[in-house]
Structures are given as structure tokens and as C-alpha cells.
Amino acid sequence: MSTAPVEVLGAVDVVLPDGLFIPDIAVVDAAAAAAQDPTHFDAEAVLLVAEIVSPSSSGRRTDRLLKPSYYAEAGIEHLWRLELEPVPTLVVCELENGRYVERAVAEAGRTTLIEKPLPVEVDPGALVRQRR
């Protein structure tokens, strides 16, 4: 596991071979963040992308199918997908042989340790504002 310093950023452009994508969250190498425009990164500097699955049917398709295939093609090693329905669930994937493989599924109400690309304990339920 890399121990290099990282920056966690939201709303940044990630340059992929087939265009620009804007993940909901990106974790990038801190040296790249300091050396570049802090809103625009080549895929090589990105350690992790996270997508929050959209509630619309076209958005769900984009977040679950389209974006992961482009991220995988660009060689981004880690993808996290936060599913909001029926309960908040974080799907943790790692790139293996050119495609993402699920490594863990963190469920709301239970703290899960995710070790790569950086160790973090997360309860997906705590990431989502509860409706009243």
C-alpha cells in the first residue's frame, strides 16, 4: 500500500484517454496536487475515485456502468460507489486485470475498515443526511 501523502478533493476534472470526467470525490497524489492546477488532474495522479449513485435511472446507469469502465481503462486503481437506496451502502472496488472487482461492501449502521488506498473506517449511514 502506498504511504505517499494524498489530497482528497471534490469537483475536480480527471483527464481520461476518452475525455474529461468529474467524479464526486477524487483522492490524488499530494505532489501532483501541489504541482498542477488543483482542479485538473491526469488519471495517473488519481489513486481513488468515488461516485455517489444518482437517483435518476440514467444517472444510475452512468455511475454504475459507464464511468467505471472509463476509469478502469485509464488505470485508476480504486473505485468506491456509494449507493443511497435502499440504504446507504459503500461498494469498494479495486482494479484487477483491467476491470473493477468488489473488495468490500460497507453497510449503513456498521463501521467497516477499508485499507486501500488509504486506511479509513466508514459507516455509510453517517455519510448521508437522514430525511426527516
Side-chain angles (χ1 to χ4, degrees), residues 4 12 17-18 22 30 36-37 48 51 57 59 73 77 81-82 84-85 88-89 95 101 103-104 110-111 113 125-126:
V12 299
D18 290 322
I22 304 171
Q36 297 184 43
D37 171 354
L48 161 73
E51 293 292 344
S57 61
E73 184 179 323
E77 267 200 62
R81 188 179 75 238
L82 181 62
L84 301 176
E85 300 292 332
T89 304
L95 193 62
V101 176
R103 296 293 187 215
R110 200 165 19 143
T111 300
L113 173 63

Side-chain angles (χ1 to χ4, degrees), residues 54 73 98 129:
S54 172
E73 184 179 323
R129 187 176 347 170

